[in-house]
Amino acid sequence: MNPKSVCVYCGSRPGRDASYTAAAEAMGHALAAEKWRLVYGAGDVGLMGVVARAAQASGGETFGVIPTHLLQREVGKTDLTRFVVTETMHERKKVMVMNADAIVMMPGGAGSLDEFFEVLTWRQLGLHDKPIVLLDSEGFWGPLKALLHHVVDEGFADHSLLDFVQSAETADGVMEILRRALS
């Protein structure tokens, strides 16, 4: 049986609350403890760097994907188990999702939201059936969850859209969801 791979979307900045960094560290350690590979954006900055360094420190495999134009800006982390450089952002997102069994979104900004909405749309269209889990540290994703409900309530998506996204407040909670979904 092949080990599982989890794509983690998260900020290239640490955010204001130290709990976001603690959650990223916990997520990296938890993936490694489960012997699951981290798939992420290959940066060594912000929460991206934290989750990767934590996975590495716990002996976990890491698969990073970064487009050429972000190598310097996001400080491409070349000491990963696997380091892939793509030409475009779209190619980066595709490679990340195709090499993962599940998606986790931690706190982040516009880039993380772009990744989330693309993978959610792909799920809605039946292009994949991978679990999508929000790591809702300190209620960070409350407004996003409210927006998804609003979209459904206003008739722009079927109620099934809400079933595609689960959330947990901690890395341990995320891992519980993933263990059930990936077993």
Side-chain angles (χ1 to χ4, degrees):
M1 183 163 97
N2 288 338
K4 301 297 182 191
S5 293
V6 178
C7 177
V8 175
Y9 298 142
C10 56
S12 60
R13 296 179 182 197
R16 289 187 181 161
D17 195 316
S19 69
Y20 306 146
T21 298
E25 192 169 86
M27 194 74 238
H29 289 306
L31 290 171
E34 198 73 29
K35 306 255 188 281
W36 290 353
R37 178 176 69 168
L38 166 68
V39 176
Y40 85 114
D44 198 16
V45 294
L47 297 184
M48 284 197 298
V50 172
V51 73
R53 287 189 299 274
Q56 288 176 311
S58 292
E61 281 194 49
T62 51
F63 183 116
V65 185
I66 193 166
T68 303
H69 72 278
L70 289 180
L71 276 167
Q72 290 184 340
R73 184 176 187 169
E74 291 185 352
V75 188
K77 189 162 176 40
T78 59
D79 65 340
L80 303 169
T81 309
R82 185 140 185 235
F83 182 75
V84 175
V85 179
T86 63
E87 290 299 315
T88 67
M89 288 292 287
H90 182 72
E91 186 182 2
R92 175 199 215 181
K93 292 185 289 184
K94 179 181 174 186
V95 170
M96 288 169 65
V97 173
M98 289 183 71
N99 283 282
D101 299 296
I103 294 92
V104 171
M105 186 163 87
M106 299 189 57
S112 299
L113 287 165
D114 171 59
E115 292 165 328
F116 168 77
F117 278 112
E118 184 162 51
V119 80
L120 178 61
T121 301
W122 290 353
R123 175 86 192 256
Q124 184 181 26
L125 295 173
L127 299 176
H128 73 83
D129 64 352
K130 299 172 185 186
I132 303 168
V133 184
L134 302 175
L135 200 167
D136 195 17
S137 182
E138 301 298 320
F140 184 85
W141 292 120
L144 175 61
K145 292 190 287 186
L147 175 61
L148 294 176
H149 281 274
H150 178 70
V151 167
V152 169
D153 292 345
E154 291 299 315
F156 289 101
D158 189 76
H159 192 271
S160 63
L161 179 78
L162 302 175
D163 298 332
F164 298 149
V165 181
Q166 298 178 68
S167 69
E169 296 176 3
T170 65
D172 286 341
V174 168
M175 294 303 291
E176 285 179 34
I177 292 168
L178 293 178
R179 280 187 210 99
R180 283 193 308 270
L182 297 176
S183 61

